[in-house]
Amino acid sequence: MFPQPNRGKSSLFSGFIPTSQKQRHYLLKGIFWQNQGTIKYLLFLSCLVISITNLYPASAHKVEVAGDVGGTIHIEPNDNPRAGEPSQAWFALTRRGGRVIPLSQCNCQLAVYAEPYAAGEPALLEPELKPVSAERYKGIPGAEVVFPKPGIYELQLNGKPLSGARFKPFEFKFEVTVAGGSTQENTRNIRDVNGDLGEGESQKLPTWAIALPIFGFIAILVVALRGTRGGSGE
């Protein structure tokens, strides 16, 4: 004798298969809301990536710290100097605690080197520092710099306290990338002042090249979810 097949509704998978339209409705609704959360999360990540990408090309103020002194450099315009054009550079010097160090309290010297350079090589430029007021800072060191050619430069700022000032001697080194001037072709792979090809920051992808694959992935995911929902409703 052989066991008779169970023709009732108590099979092994009967508890997992929705038998009524109402059960299928709630099952699909649960799947939809669960996947909707995933889609919202992916959209949030996409927006975050795009916002970071948009901010990335814009250079922020560069900050260095030496001993008890912090130094911030900013170069007008917008930290994007161009070769052959005057650029205003200023240095916000602060002691630990946030107190500003004006040029009147600092014996400061500025030297500009073309990258790469050898130790002991004389500076390419030595701009004269003058007190300037910028943003919330007053009387801080500033100088007008004209970079001769596109490329990468290093700005070295050395300082010692004058009589009455209390801070440790410092030396800051700021790397600055100079683009071609208005009469020169501004390419991503620029030749530096020593004739070498600068490739450090030449491979930046545009925003659309990063955002397009993300939105494509989201579109594929949405289509796949709709296909799954349609197949489950049959």
Side-chain angles (χ1 to χ4, degrees):
M1 295 181 63
F2 296 94
Q4 296 295 325
N6 188 353
R7 300 182 183 274
K9 296 183 180 180
S10 59
S11 63
L12 179 62
F13 301 99
S14 61
F16 300 93
I17 301 176
T19 57
S20 65
Q21 183 178 0
K22 186 176 181 180
Q23 288 176 332
R24 288 195 298 270
H25 171 74
Y26 282 114
L27 176 62
L28 292 175
K29 186 176 180 181
I31 295 174
F32 172 76
W33 283 108
Q34 182 178 8
N35 292 327
Q36 189 181 47
T38 303
I39 294 173
K40 289 182 179 179
Y41 178 71
L42 291 174
L43 288 173
F44 168 75
L45 290 180
S46 302
C47 295
L48 181 62
V49 170
I50 294 172
S51 62
I52 293 175
T53 305
N54 290 333
L55 291 174
Y56 177 69
S59 300
H61 296 353
K62 299 178 181 179
V63 181
E64 295 286 341
V65 178
D68 58 348
V69 178
T72 302
I73 183 176
H74 177 70
I75 300 180
E76 297 288 353
N78 301 322
D79 286 310
N80 292 309
R82 291 183 175 272
E85 301 178 6
S87 299
Q88 179 68 34
W90 52 262
F91 304 86
L93 305 177
T94 56
R95 292 177 51 188
R96 185 174 301 171
R99 180 175 297 179
V100 177
I101 302 175
L103 184 59
S104 59
Q105 297 180 5
C106 179
N107 179 17
C108 298
Q109 289 85 34
L110 176 63
V112 180
Y113 295 86
E115 291 279 14
Y117 68 94
E121 181 179 339
L124 180 67
L125 301 171
E126 292 183 347
E128 180 184 0
L129 291 171
K130 297 179 179 181
V132 299
S133 297
E135 296 183 358
R136 61 185 181 88
Y137 306 101
K138 295 182 179 181
I140 58 176
E144 184 178 88
V145 183
V146 180
F147 299 97
K149 296 181 180 180
I152 301 176
Y153 295 81
E154 184 177 89
L155 275 62
Q156 293 187 9
L157 181 67
N158 297 277
K160 297 179 181 180
L162 293 176
S163 57
R166 294 184 179 181
F167 59 87
K168 297 179 181 179
F170 61 85
E171 179 182 71
F172 295 135
K173 296 181 179 181
F174 301 97
E175 186 177 276
V176 177
T177 301
V178 178
S182 57
T183 59
Q184 301 177 3
E185 182 181 1
N186 185 14
T187 60
R188 292 189 181 275
N189 292 329
I190 57 178
R191 187 172 300 277
D192 67 19
V193 290
N194 289 329
D196 297 325
L197 190 64
E199 300 178 350
E201 299 184 5
S202 61
Q203 303 296 329
K204 293 182 180 178
L205 291 176
T207 303
W208 64 265
I210 298 178
L212 187 59
I214 297 175
F215 285 111
F217 173 76
I218 295 175
I220 294 174
L221 180 60
V222 172
V223 172
L225 292 177
R226 287 182 177 176
T228 303
R229 183 179 178 183
S232 300
E234 294 178 354

